[in-house]
Amino acid sequence: MMGRFRRQASLTTGRIEAFSDGVFAIAITLLVLEIGVPELGEADSLVAALGHLWPSYFGYAFGFFIVGVYWVNHHHLFSLFRRSDHVFGLVNVLFLATIAFIPFPTSVLAEYATQPTHQAEAIGFYLFALILPALAWNLVWLYASVSRRLIDERLAPAYVRHLTVQFALSIATYTAAFALALVAPEAGLAVAVGVSLLYVMPPRRPEYLAEPVASTHGV
Amino acid sequence: MMGRFRRQASLTTGRIEAFSDGVFAIAITLLVLEIGVPELGEADSLVAALGHLWPSYFGYAFGFFIVGVYWVNHHHLFSLFRRSDHVFGLVNVLFLATIAFIPFPTSVLAEYATQPTHQAEAIGFYLFALILPALAWNLVWLYASVSRRLIDERLAPAYVRHLTVQFALSIATYTAAFALALVAPEAGLAVAVGVSLLYVMPPRRPEYLAEPVASTHGV
Amino acid sequence: MMGRFRRQASLTTGRIEAFSDGVFAIAITLLVLEIGVPELGEADSLVAALGHLWPSYFGYAFGFFIVGVYWVNHHHLFSLFRRSDHVFGLVNVLFLATIAFIPFPTSVLAEYATQPTHQAEAIGFYLFALILPALAWNLVWLYASVSRRLIDERLAPAYVRHLTVQFALSIATYTAAFALALVAPEAGLAVAVGVSLLYVMPPRRPEYLAEPVASTHGV
Amino acid sequence: MMGRFRRQASLTTGRIEAFSDGVFAIAITLLVLEIGVPELGEADSLVAALGHLWPSYFGYAFGFFIVGVYWVNHHHLFSLFRRSDHVFGLVNVLFLATIAFIPFPTSVLAEYATQPTHQAEAIGFYLFALILPALAWNLVWLYASVSRRLIDERLAPAYVRHLTVQFALSIATYTAAFALALVAPEAGLAVAVGVSLLYVMPPRRPEYLAEPVASTHGV
């Protein structure tokens, strides 16, 4: 006598998007807290001290860009999903954990990027931290797309494969930038920044299978 | 001549959910602030110092998981509610206060988990703080479910009882983990983590009474 | 040839409510940042140190309660509004500024409430800060209700007057608590807490004028 | 066989507005964190110390006002938009980066506005930082309005030109305030505050072209 009624899923993709937007917005705004007000003596120049904070400004600007790009692409990705489930909600929370973590390596970079003895390590740690959201992003995608568990069933298989390859490549790229940084920190950082800037380009439009035509014989 | 018009409640369950989502999203994102940038001398290794922060990483990861699980389940719970009232809004605020508090014991744990003389106390305080949301969650549920004040009246009584028991058990479990920690801190922490991981499992689907059938033959 | 098209106001009451919810949610969650992790020597007891933070816990709990109550009542108030305008959006921003300010006097209270020489001043400053949202709330209400600028025109005049008086009384009460604190700090604080707890009671239901009946015999 | 289906854009103007509201709400609420709790000796007066924080209070109040005004006007602006695209999402993220940055120059101002040797530099930096959102705002507008890429095609060309001129003037004004501050810091600050207060005035109502009338004689 039970279970006869169907109700809307308690955790819709819309809810997950709204929660994710909240985390994106907070993580992106918290980045400003890593820029520390310089402490000056009487004779010091405030302008000079503010100038020396350039690693903080770089960290703020690039962090804003990275999180902003993930936010835009997160909406693009979710426009491909039709369903959601409990585990998917938690997999997305895992992805958000890698986004919300970004202010920490950014602070480390800002603090140590100008100290010759620690610069290489700071850049390495920063680039390592950029691999994490790429990994978690792939987990979100694979959970949703394998066996078409959650995605729109009308999506063209070629398009799904295209995304799978493209997302896997982003892990490879950030890992390569990290590996390069182990021998040449600034080159590694430059590669990561350069590759990230490519995301200014819009993602490829979703491609759908032709709909089964209504007035048919056969299918 | 007054009071003839009925209007939507000013505080709908949707509003409460949206506000709660905001608090969940902020509390979860603030967890990163407890990870302090290490202070180094010239000769120190940054990588080694970052490695020593493992209690902070654990606190961040587990806090993210705990708050994420509460967020998912909060939506599940609210899918069972049909109504809301002023006091319920405040009871939910009380629950949110226990969630938004989590960054503090997490900071305490991160700071003192590696200091032998304070480790036991830090773990104990952390586990104590995990009892609080479990308690408040039960308050939310009891306020809503006793006499079916706010919940969907079609919910099966057995399902309501099932939740009441399950939620009460969560208090018992976290209290047991805390009690265990008083004699064996690490074991208590392990129990709390282990039990929490069970919440990766989806909650049981709501069960509803059969609807009174209007025009029937059989069912 | 211009201005023929009417569009939705760019700043609806719904938008203002959503933005206000964001500020409420952030301000309430930031309260946890005022609880500082205690610094200990080897021989100090962490539990004892955590116990000494009781002014911080009080500040957290009472701040959460106050902001939570304002949040609930803000929704109640906005359920009475039909329109909005540019200046009203900014008057509401002013109100939000007094809410978002609360973490600061809370920090001052937490820091100095246990220091005999500064306790009286800390409590006084805290109670002074509680007058500000009461003042701004009245400004929001007066801007909206005078000449029924923004409120539902069907609201009963007696109900509108009732709110005007009740809101003005809240200024008087918090001002009295502040004045009392100048001679007896703890008594002033107790009055403010006691009065605030009254807001657990739901606000009076809106009362509306009888609708002009279209096709009538009598009423 | 692909691409036959049209779906809603994954990043609608509504989504961008909601995300922007989140960043506005967080940035405005974080302003309170720049007000530091004063550190006192036994003999110091807390009230006096709190009074000396007036640059912090000014920074908080004016920052709240500035961000609040941008928030109100952002909604006004977005009411003129019909479409959105990937790049526009990122241009808006750039604008948000200039808003979320405001807490930092506010902290610098609060810290150094009362130190004679650094006051001029602190005010200059603050006014420089106020130019940034004005610049980015113009970028948002130009991206959307040039060739009517994203705006409502029925908007009257004169109204579009009016906004273009008005927004460009805001860059000029804040730049002038900054330039003035290089020779007379307090005068520059006064100009910036005075000009900003003008935004209490509502923006001019959108003007639309007459719709082509379907069944017409004349117009």
Side-chain angles (χ1 to χ4, degrees):
Chain A
M1 218 60 75
M2 312 243 149
R4 266 188 58 204
F5 296 85
R6 275 300 175 99
R7 299 193 51 259
Q8 272 212 329
S10 56
L11 196 69
T12 60
T13 57
R15 283 278 177 205
I16 296 179
E17 276 187 277
F19 182 71
S20 306
D21 272 16
V23 173
F24 280 121
I26 300 152
I28 214 170
T29 315
L30 286 183
L31 286 166
V32 76
L33 297 184
E34 56 95 6
I35 317 180
V37 176
E39 290 176 33
L40 298 179
E42 281 267 320
D44 297 330
S45 157
L46 176 56
V47 168
L50 290 170
H52 286 139
L53 292 177
W54 63 263
S56 291
Y57 305 138
F58 166 80
Y60 178 76
F62 188 53
F64 225 93
F65 178 73
I66 288 273
V67 178
V69 163
Y70 269 111
W71 167 67
V72 172
N73 284 299
H74 195 263
H75 277 299
H76 182 71
L77 195 68
F78 270 65
S79 74
L80 309 177
F81 297 164
R82 283 291 88 88
R83 284 169 299 284
S84 143
D85 63 30
H86 180 83
V87 172
F88 182 66
L90 293 175
V91 171
N92 187 65
V93 164
L94 176 64
F95 166 69
L96 295 175
T98 65
I99 291 292
F101 187 67
I102 290 178
F104 175 64
T106 304
S107 293
V108 171
L109 186 72
E111 182 80 18
Y112 290 109
T114 52
Q115 299 192 9
T117 49
H118 299 126
Q119 185 191 46
E121 291 173 303
I123 292 177
F125 180 64
Y126 185 73
L127 293 179
F128 175 75
L130 289 188
I131 303 174
L132 302 179
L135 279 171
W137 177 273
N138 276 270
L139 204 60
V140 167
W141 172 245
L142 291 177
Y143 183 86
S145 66
V146 165
S147 321
R148 316 209 136 209
R149 192 186 278 119
L150 305 178
I151 63 176
D152 194 330
E153 51 285 328
R154 299 169 310 164
L155 276 174
Y159 183 72
V160 172
R161 273 195 306 274
H162 161 76
L163 291 185
T164 305
V165 171
Q166 186 196 322
F167 296 159
L169 275 177
S170 82
I171 302 180
T173 316
Y174 284 111
T175 307
F178 168 66
L180 177 56
L182 297 180
V183 292
E186 277 141 340
L189 188 55
V191 166
V193 171
V195 167
S196 302
L197 289 177
L198 294 179
Y199 288 102
V200 170
M201 305 295 299
R204 206 208 274 191
R205 278 180 157 281
E207 290 154 11
Y208 295 91
L209 291 170
E211 215 165 14
V213 189
S215 56
T216 1
H217 322 269
V219 180
Chain B
M1 220 58 77
M2 311 244 150
R4 267 188 57 204
F5 297 86
R6 275 300 175 100
R7 299 192 52 258
Q8 272 212 329
S10 56
L11 195 68
T12 60
T13 57
R15 283 280 179 203
I16 296 179
E17 275 187 277
F19 182 71
S20 305
D21 273 14
V23 173
F24 280 120
I26 300 153
I28 215 171
T29 315
L30 286 183
L31 286 166
V32 77
L33 297 184
E34 56 95 6
I35 317 180
V37 176
E39 289 175 33
L40 300 179
E42 281 268 318
D44 298 329
S45 156
L46 176 56
V47 167
L50 291 170
H52 286 139
L53 292 177
W54 64 263
S56 292
Y57 305 139
F58 166 79
Y60 178 76
F62 188 53
F64 225 93
F65 178 73
I66 288 273
V67 178
V69 162
Y70 269 112
W71 167 67
V72 172
N73 284 299
H74 194 263
H75 277 297
H76 183 71
L77 195 69
F78 269 66
S79 74
L80 309 177
F81 297 164
R82 282 290 88 88
R83 284 170 300 283
S84 144
D85 62 30
H86 180 83
V87 171
F88 182 66
L90 293 176
V91 171
N92 187 65
V93 164
L94 176 63
F95 166 68
L96 294 175
T98 65
I99 291 292
F101 186 67
I102 289 178
F104 175 63
T106 303
S107 292
V108 171
L109 185 72
E111 183 79 18
Y112 290 109
T114 51
Q115 300 192 11
T117 49
H118 299 125
Q119 186 191 46
E121 291 172 305
I123 292 177
F125 181 64
Y126 184 73
L127 294 178
F128 175 75
L130 289 189
I131 303 174
L132 303 179
L135 279 171
W137 177 273
N138 275 270
L139 204 60
V140 167
W141 171 247
L142 291 177
Y143 183 86
S145 67
V146 165
S147 322
R148 316 210 136 208
R149 193 186 277 120
L150 306 178
I151 63 175
D152 195 330
E153 51 285 328
R154 299 169 311 162
L155 277 174
Y159 184 72
V160 173
R161 273 194 305 274
H162 161 76
L163 291 186
T164 305
V165 170
Q166 186 195 324
F167 296 159
L169 275 176
S170 82
I171 303 179
T173 315
Y174 284 111
T175 308
F178 167 67
L180 177 57
L182 297 180
V183 292
E186 276 140 342
L189 188 56
V191 167
V193 171
V195 168
S196 301
L197 289 177
L198 294 180
Y199 288 102
V200 169
M201 304 295 299
R204 207 208 272 190
R205 277 180 158 284
E207 290 153 11
Y208 294 92
L209 292 170
E211 216 166 15
V213 189
S215 55
T216 359
H217 329 265
V219 180
Chain C
M1 219 61 74
M2 311 244 150
R4 269 189 55 205
F5 297 86
R6 274 301 175 98
R7 299 192 51 260
Q8 273 212 327
S10 56
L11 197 67
T12 60
T13 56
R15 283 278 179 204
I16 296 178
E17 276 187 278
F19 182 71
S20 305
D21 272 16
V23 173
F24 281 121
I26 300 153
I28 215 170
T29 315
L30 286 183
L31 287 166
V32 76
L33 298 183
E34 56 95 6
I35 317 180
V37 176
E39 288 175 34
L40 299 179
E42 281 267 319
D44 296 330
S45 156
L46 177 56
V47 168
L50 290 170
H52 286 137
L53 292 177
W54 62 264
S56 292
Y57 305 139
F58 166 79
Y60 178 76
F62 188 53
F64 225 93
F65 178 73
I66 288 274
V67 177
V69 162
Y70 268 113
W71 167 68
V72 172
N73 284 299
H74 195 263
H75 277 297
H76 183 70
L77 195 69
F78 270 65
S79 73
L80 309 177
F81 297 164
R82 282 291 89 87
R83 282 170 301 284
S84 143
D85 63 30
H86 179 83
V87 172
F88 182 66
L90 293 175
V91 171
N92 187 65
V93 164
L94 176 63
F95 166 68
L96 295 175
T98 64
I99 290 292
F101 187 66
I102 290 178
F104 175 63
T106 303
S107 292
V108 171
L109 185 72
E111 183 79 19
Y112 290 109
T114 50
Q115 300 192 10
T117 50
H118 299 126
Q119 185 191 48
E121 291 172 304
I123 292 177
F125 180 64
Y126 184 73
L127 293 178
F128 175 75
L130 289 188
I131 303 174
L132 302 179
L135 279 171
W137 178 273
N138 276 270
L139 204 59
V140 167
W141 171 247
L142 291 177
Y143 183 86
S145 66
V146 165
S147 323
R148 316 209 135 208
R149 193 188 276 120
L150 305 178
I151 62 176
D152 195 330
E153 51 285 327
R154 299 169 310 162
L155 277 174
Y159 184 73
V160 173
R161 272 194 307 274
H162 161 77
L163 291 185
T164 305
V165 171
Q166 185 196 323
F167 296 159
L169 275 177
S170 82
I171 302 179
T173 316
Y174 285 111
T175 308
F178 167 67
L180 176 57
L182 297 180
V183 293
E186 277 141 342
L189 189 55
V191 167
V193 171
V195 168
S196 302
L197 289 177
L198 294 179
Y199 288 102
V200 169
M201 305 294 300
R204 207 209 272 189
R205 277 178 158 284
E207 289 154 10
Y208 295 91
L209 292 170
E211 217 165 13
V213 189
S215 56
T216 0
H217 329 266
V219 180
Chain D
M1 219 60 74
M2 312 241 149
R4 269 188 55 205
F5 296 86
R6 274 302 174 97
R7 299 191 52 259
Q8 274 212 328
S10 56
L11 196 68
T12 59
T13 57
R15 284 278 178 203
I16 297 179
E17 275 186 278
F19 182 71
S20 306
D21 272 16
V23 173
F24 280 120
I26 300 153
I28 215 171
T29 315
L30 286 183
L31 287 166
V32 77
L33 297 184
E34 55 95 8
I35 317 180
V37 176
E39 289 175 33
L40 298 180
E42 280 269 319
D44 296 329
S45 156
L46 177 55
V47 168
L50 291 170
H52 286 138
L53 291 177
W54 63 263
S56 291
Y57 305 139
F58 166 80
Y60 178 75
F62 188 54
F64 225 93
F65 178 72
I66 288 273
V67 177
V69 162
Y70 268 112
W71 167 67
V72 172
N73 284 298
H74 194 263
H75 277 298
H76 183 70
L77 196 68
F78 270 66
S79 73
L80 309 177
F81 298 164
R82 282 292 88 88
R83 283 171 300 284
S84 143
D85 62 30
H86 180 82
V87 172
F88 182 66
L90 293 175
V91 171
N92 187 66
V93 164
L94 176 63
F95 166 69
L96 294 175
T98 65
I99 290 293
F101 187 67
I102 290 178
F104 175 64
T106 303
S107 293
V108 171
L109 186 72
E111 183 80 18
Y112 290 109
T114 51
Q115 300 193 10
T117 50
H118 299 126
Q119 184 190 49
E121 292 173 303
I123 292 177
F125 181 64
Y126 184 74
L127 293 179
F128 175 75
L130 290 188
I131 303 174
L132 303 179
L135 279 171
W137 177 273
N138 276 269
L139 204 59
V140 167
W141 172 246
L142 291 178
Y143 183 84
S145 67
V146 164
S147 323
R148 316 209 135 210
R149 193 186 277 119
L150 306 178
I151 62 176
D152 194 329
E153 52 285 328
R154 299 169 311 162
L155 278 174
Y159 183 73
V160 173
R161 273 194 307 272
H162 161 76
L163 291 185
T164 306
V165 171
Q166 186 196 323
F167 296 159
L169 276 176
S170 82
I171 303 179
T173 316
Y174 285 110
T175 307
F178 168 67
L180 177 56
L182 297 180
V183 293
E186 276 141 342
L189 188 56
V191 166
V193 171
V195 168
S196 301
L197 289 177
L198 294 179
Y199 288 101
V200 169
M201 304 294 300
R204 206 208 273 190
R205 277 177 158 285
E207 290 154 9
Y208 295 91
L209 291 170
E211 217 164 14
V213 189
S215 56
T216 0
H217 328 267
V219 180

